[in-house]
């Protein structure tokens, strides 16, 4: 009985372990899908000729990251046309089992959209499913190829409503998308901004009905993108930035012209940190035209709370060592861009042949330096005076001094010997008298 209970106990543990293995990946997948929902790919379909593209769905296949057959635009369009003639089973055999998209939704009277989630980068073939073919009577959507790369998605052939797009990115790092940048849109030759309506999907539509809710501003989304549809295919347009993202410079000039079906990429520079640089020149104290190379200085920064100057660190150094400046062959050296504040130089090495200056060199970085004007300051060094008698340099290993021993003095040796004998005799005589005197007393 105990063996059976023990066996059931192990089976329960095994069942819990199997369930945890199955549930954990599903939980992770749910989290990833939630992230993808924040940034879907949106395809746009025009509702025209009394035909609505609302409620349509597609079969689609992943074709690969960069298929060899898709070398240029013409090959993509012709390949999409070729696949349009093939059945779903034939395409399943070529690319694997198809996936089913969600249904298109009617955003406005002249537009329906299809939102796609979880598509990895690469090429996809889309084709209306059989039920959607039956819904459409007078118009159809041919098969098309979609390229996904998260910066600008492309369709072959173009099936969306005539539109233009803008990507806003960091000038130094094109993978940083700039959200919240505000633009106006203009027709070529006009300085009057167009009125636009922002749809629920986040895309903009040119207001041709002069609606009260229309506005002039377009704002980039999380992906740094603006999509505008409803443009005139015979006209060209330009964007003008009216508000930059925090921390970036405003780009005031007009963008280049863009026409229907095109995407424009505009970059922004970061605002440089507040502060400036200071330049120094190391010169001979008696002749300022003579510039001195090889002087080294330690840079110290004032703590505004305590007034104490502390050593600055070189952030560009892997060891995060002290920030040291060195005068070049022209005697010049300059600080990096420093924040506004008070600074001090401490000379730690003088130019060859010159005395090291013990005085601190104080300087300030303020708004004047921030404006781009670099102040120059001269620093003097005094030559080491030549000595009247050059000091002799002791040898590295001086020879050992020879020890001279004095000879033993021989003079007077016999007198010492005589005095010694006499002394011993007197001692013996004294001892004998002492003994005799002792006997007499007894």
């Amino acid at each position: 009985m105990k063996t059976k209970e023990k066996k059931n106990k192990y089976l329960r543990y095994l069942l819990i372990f199997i369930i945890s293995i199955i549930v954990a990946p599903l939980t992770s997948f749910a989290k990833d899908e939630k992230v993808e929902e924040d940034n879907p790919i949106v395809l746009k379909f025009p509702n025209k000729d009394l035909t609505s593209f609302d409620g349509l769905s597609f079969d689609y296949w992943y074709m690969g990251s960069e298929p060899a057959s898709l070398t240029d635009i013409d090959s993509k369009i012709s390949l999409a046309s070729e696949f349009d003639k093939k059945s779903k089973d034939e395409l399943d055999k070529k690319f694997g089992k198809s996936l089913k998209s969600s249904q298109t939704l009617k955003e406005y009277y002249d537009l329906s959209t299809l939102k796609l989630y979880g598509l990895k980068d690469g090429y996809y073939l889309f084709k209306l499913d059989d039920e959607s073919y039956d819904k459409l009577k007078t118009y159809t959507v041919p098969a098309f190829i979609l390229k996904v790369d998260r910066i600008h998605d492309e369709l072959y052939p173009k099936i969306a409503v005539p539109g233009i797009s803008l990507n806003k990115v960091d000038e130094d790092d094109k993978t940083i998308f700039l959200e919240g940048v505000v633009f106006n849109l203009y027709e070529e030759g006009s300085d009057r901004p167009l009125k636009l309506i922002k749809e629920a999907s986040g895309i903009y539509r040119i207001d041709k009905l002069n609606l009260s809710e229309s506005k002039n501003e377009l704002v980039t989304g999380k992906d740094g993108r603006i999509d505008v549809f409803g443009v005139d295919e015979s006209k060209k347009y330009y964007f003008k930035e009216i508000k930059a993202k925090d921390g970036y410079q405003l780009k005031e000039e007009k963008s280049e012209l863009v026409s229907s079906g095109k995407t424009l990429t505009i970059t922004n520079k970061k605002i440089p940190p507040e502060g400036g640089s200071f330049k120094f020149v190391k010169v001979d104290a008696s002749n300022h035209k003579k510039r001195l190379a090889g002087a080294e200085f330690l840079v110290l920064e004032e703590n505004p709370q305590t007034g104490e100057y502390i050593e600055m660190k070189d952030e560009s150094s892997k060891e995060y060592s002290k920030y040291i400046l060195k005068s070049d062959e022209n005697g010049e050296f300059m600080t990096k861009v420093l924040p506004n504040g008070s600074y001090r130089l401490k000379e730690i090495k003088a130019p060859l042949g010159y005395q090291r200056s013990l005085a601190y060199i104080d300087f300030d970085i303020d708004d004047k330096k921030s404006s781009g004007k670099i102040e120059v300051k001269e620093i003097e060094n005094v030559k080491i005076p030549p000595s009247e008698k050059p000091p002799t340099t002791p040898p590295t290993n001086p020879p050992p001094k020879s020890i001279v021993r004095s000879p033993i003095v021989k003079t007077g040796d016999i007198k010492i010997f005589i005095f010694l004998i006499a002394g011993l005799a007197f001692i013996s005589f004294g001892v004998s008298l002492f003994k005799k005197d002792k006997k007499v007393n007894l």
Side-chain angles (χ1 to χ4, degrees):
M1 186 70 179
K2 289 183 179 180
T3 305
K4 189 174 180 181
E5 289 179 358
K6 192 174 182 181
K7 188 175 181 180
N8 289 337
K9 183 179 179 182
Y10 287 140
L11 286 173
R12 284 196 298 272
Y13 288 151
L14 180 61
L15 183 60
I16 292 170
F17 177 71
I18 292 172
I19 291 173
S20 64
I21 291 176
I22 295 172
V23 171
L26 292 176
T27 306
S28 176
F29 175 78
K31 290 179 181 178
D32 291 342
E33 187 174 350
K34 185 176 180 181
V35 172
E36 290 290 344
E37 286 177 1
D38 293 336
N39 189 23
I41 295 170
V42 181
L43 303 182
K44 299 165 283 186
F45 300 87
N47 299 325
K48 59 183 180 179
D49 299 331
L50 302 178
T51 301
S52 173
F53 288 88
D54 184 35
L56 305 181
S57 57
F58 293 81
D59 295 316
Y60 66 96
W61 296 262
Y62 180 64
M63 301 174 68
S65 59
E66 195 70 43
S69 55
L70 303 178
T71 56
D72 52 34
I73 294 177
D74 291 337
S75 66
K76 295 172 181 121
I77 294 174
S78 61
L79 200 60
S81 178
E82 179 185 336
F83 288 148
D84 194 36
K85 302 170 187 175
K86 295 186 179 295
S87 66
K88 180 176 178 297
D89 292 337
E90 289 176 308
L91 295 173
D92 281 346
K93 288 179 182 179
K94 184 172 182 62
F95 299 113
K97 188 170 179 58
S98 66
L99 299 171
K100 182 75 70 177
S101 75
S102 57
Q103 291 188 339
T104 56
L105 296 173
K106 190 173 183 179
E107 292 277 357
Y108 199 64
Y109 73 94
D110 61 352
L111 180 75
S112 292
T113 60
L114 173 65
K115 293 184 179 181
L116 301 169
Y117 301 94
L119 297 186
K120 62 182 180 180
D121 287 2
Y123 287 84
Y124 294 83
L125 172 67
F126 281 78
K127 188 177 180 182
L128 274 176
D129 62 17
D130 294 336
E131 293 180 4
S132 299
Y133 268 118
D134 294 337
K135 287 182 182 179
L136 296 173
K137 303 297 182 183
T138 60
Y139 192 74
T140 187
V141 178
F144 60 91
I145 292 173
L146 169 67
K147 178 187 176 183
V148 177
D149 68 3
R150 294 299 166 192
I151 296 179
H152 56 279
D153 310 312
E154 298 175 359
L155 287 172
Y156 308 97
K158 298 288 183 184
I159 59 167
V161 173
I164 54 178
S165 298
L166 177 147
N167 289 322
K168 191 66 170 173
V169 295
D170 182 281
E171 184 168 295
D172 299 318
D173 186 351
K174 304 297 190 295
T175 63
I176 299 177
F177 307 126
L178 305 184
E179 180 186 3
V181 185
V182 184
F183 288 88
N184 286 148
L185 179 65
Y186 304 82
E187 287 185 0
E188 181 183 14
S190 172
D191 58 358
R192 184 177 180 180
L194 295 171
K195 294 281 189 178
L196 303 113
I197 298 289
K198 187 174 183 179
E199 305 294 348
S201 62
I203 59 179
Y204 292 87
R205 173 177 54 81
I206 292 179
D207 178 19
K208 298 178 181 179
L209 304 177
N210 198 26
L211 300 175
S212 59
E213 66 267 28
S214 62
K215 296 181 179 180
N216 300 120
E217 293 83 12
L218 305 93
V219 185
T220 57
K222 292 181 179 180
D223 56 357
R225 190 178 177 96
I226 291 174
D227 290 299
V228 183
F229 69 89
V231 301
D232 190 329
E233 294 183 78
S234 64
K235 295 181 179 180
K236 292 184 178 181
Y237 300 83
Y238 67 90
F239 292 90
K240 189 172 182 182
E241 187 173 320
I242 59 174
K243 182 182 178 183
K245 181 178 174 66
D246 290 344
Y248 284 82
Q249 298 177 4
L250 179 69
K251 202 159 193 173
E252 298 181 359
E253 63 271 18
K254 299 176 182 178
S255 75
E256 62 183 84
L257 293 172
V258 61
S259 57
S260 176
K262 302 295 183 181
T263 298
L264 187 65
T265 298
I266 301 178
T267 61
N268 270 73
K269 283 185 178 181
K270 286 182 179 177
I271 297 173
E274 186 183 68
S277 299
F278 210 108
K279 185 176 181 179
F280 300 89
V281 181
K282 195 67 168 165
V283 297
D284 185 296
S286 60
N287 181 11
H288 282 206
K289 291 183 178 180
K290 185 176 181 181
R291 298 188 171 194
L292 309 177
E296 293 185 8
F297 293 86
L298 183 64
V299 185
L300 300 95
E301 180 180 16
E302 184 190 32
N303 183 328
Q305 278 74 39
T306 63
E308 180 186 2
Y309 283 86
I310 55 176
E311 295 179 358
M312 288 189 67
K313 299 296 183 181
D314 186 0
E315 297 175 0
S316 63
S317 169
K318 291 182 180 179
E319 293 81 17
Y320 204 59
S321 56
K322 298 176 181 179
Y323 183 36
I324 295 174
L325 300 173
K326 184 176 181 179
S327 61
D328 61 17
E329 58 186 7
N330 297 316
E332 298 178 355
F333 61 97
M334 187 167 69
T335 69
K336 63 184 178 182
V337 175
L338 299 171
N340 288 352
S342 296
Y343 299 86
R344 173 174 288 176
L345 294 183
K346 177 183 178 182
E347 187 167 323
I348 57 175
K349 182 181 177 182
L352 185 63
Y354 287 80
Q355 297 177 6
R356 182 172 68 86
S357 175
L358 301 179
Y360 290 116
I361 298 95
D362 292 337
F363 64 99
D364 295 320
I365 299 293
D366 51 30
D367 293 335
K368 292 180 181 179
K369 281 78 176 179
S370 302
S371 64
K373 183 181 178 182
I374 298 176
E375 190 171 338
V376 181
K377 190 171 187 177
E378 290 185 339
I379 304 174
E380 298 179 346
N381 271 84
V382 178
K383 279 186 178 181
I384 297 174
S387 57
E388 295 179 3
K389 292 183 179 180
T392 56
T393 305
T396 307
N397 295 309
K401 294 181 179 180
S402 59
I403 301 174
V404 181
R405 300 183 181 274
S406 300
I408 299 175
V409 180
K410 301 291 183 179
T411 307
D413 285 356
I414 188 67
K415 292 179 180 180
I416 295 173
F417 182 72
I418 292 171
F419 283 135
L420 179 62
I421 296 297
L424 291 173
F426 279 118
I427 292 172
S428 298
F429 179 71
V431 171
S432 62
L433 287 176
F434 177 75
K435 287 181 178 180
K436 284 182 180 182
D437 185 59
K438 192 175 181 181
K439 285 179 181 180
V440 171
N441 293 329
L442 289 172

